Amino acid sequence: MTGPEHPHRTWLYVPGDRPDRIGKALDSAADAVILDLEDAVAPDAKETARRTVAGVLAEGRTERRAAYVRINAPGTPDGTADIGLLASAPGALAGVRIPKCEDPGMLRRVADALGVPVFPVLESALGVENALALATAHPLVAGISLGEADLSADLRVTGGDALAWPRSRVVVAARAAGLPSPPQSVWTAVRDLDGLRADTAAGHRAGFFGRSVIHPAQIPVVHEACAPDPADVAWARGLMDQLTERDGTAGAAAWIDTAGRFVDKAVVERAAWILAVAASAHRPEKEGTPS
């Protein structure tokens, strides 16, 4: 699971049938790379993509970067082939994104077959309605998110405001299940970096953290938008220092800090999260990656 110690800010999609792009993605500054077997791969290239992804995993190239795979929808022939491949594939696999999730029973079967962290993507009205059931369907469910393009089509809506309620629902479901704050869906206007920055900041305020990206130019923009305010970091460090001075006992009950402010368990957890996010911006690159 992507726990609070290492929150991913960026999840970079790369077509599974493009080994040249996969190499560049693994060398990028993205926190995680998603080897895509679904939408980014043409129907006649699916088998090539599976062989390519299996080779990347077997060669150990994913040691450079947390690597996930997005499979095709379970229950389809390609989805079944993807699951069969990944269930027996050697190599490091951080987890699998499961698209078009609606049925908790199906998700449980997929998680049992794969044996790695799974990340259901909700892309329909029924998927959103079942958000909490999907988030709690199996111990290997490590996070949930929206697929907003397909969801908009299913709901027959246009414009971001129309998705305000589904977005809130997935945020609440994720946290109710004890999962990380969900990442935002992709920003498809690749050249509109100002729009990406503003939208990511708004999503962060609404309970999302990080987002899926489809171009390396989007990575630094998202990282910047996810960075906590320096004043908040200073406050969090000061609070945790006080907690250390009290031998950690203050986390078990409400107390008053040195500035006369009320502090309880929820305030301490917020401080810990802010410091985790701040640390994610400064964690060292894995060996073999550029700084």
Side-chain angles (χ1 to χ4, degrees), residues 23-31 64-65 219 223 283-291:
K24 291 178 181 178
L26 293 171
D27 284 336
S28 74
D31 290 338
R64 292 180 284 169
R65 187 74 54 207
I219 295 170
H223 287 182
R283 62 183 179 224
E285 295 287 333
K286 293 187 178 181
E287 184 177 356
T289 61
S291 59

Side-chain angles (χ1 to χ4, degrees), residues 120-217:
V121 183
L122 317 184
E123 303 184 78
S124 67
L126 182 56
V128 172
E129 281 295 315
N130 288 340
L132 182 58
L134 291 165
T136 57
H138 195 282
L140 284 173
V141 175
I144 60 175
S145 60
L146 292 176
E148 294 190 358
D150 284 12
L151 178 60
S152 294
D154 189 47
L155 296 177
R156 301 174 182 172
V157 301
T158 58
D161 291 345
L163 296 180
W165 185 82
R167 288 169 177 165
S168 294
R169 185 169 179 85
V170 77
V171 167
V172 171
R175 299 303 298 134
L179 300 176
S181 299
Q184 286 178 269
S185 191
V186 297
W187 179 260
T188 57
V190 174
R191 296 182 179 179
D192 182 11
L193 297 181
D194 289 338
L196 170 65
R197 181 179 293 104
D199 189 70
T200 303
H204 189 54
R205 292 191 297 271
F208 290 86
F209 183 78
R211 75 185 309 154
S212 298
V213 297
I214 54 177
H215 192 280

Side-chain angles (χ1 to χ4, degrees), residues 36-43 46 70-72 99-100 123 149-150:
D36 194 11
L37 297 175
E38 195 208 14
D39 286 348
V41 179
K46 297 288 188 182
R70 179 170 69 172
I71 65 171
N72 289 275
K100 299 175 175 59
E123 303 184 78
D150 284 12

Side-chain angles (χ1 to χ4, degrees), residues 11-58:
W11 306 69
L12 176 61
Y13 276 106
V14 59
D17 62 336
R18 293 294 301 273
D20 55 332
R21 292 189 184 180
I22 290 174
K24 291 178 181 178
L26 293 171
D27 284 336
S28 74
D31 290 338
V33 170
I34 303 171
L35 309 175
D36 194 11
L37 297 175
E38 195 208 14
D39 286 348
V41 179
D44 61 357
K46 297 288 188 182
E47 187 56 39
T48 297
R50 277 188 282 272
R51 290 195 301 267
T52 300
V53 168
V56 169
L57 295 174

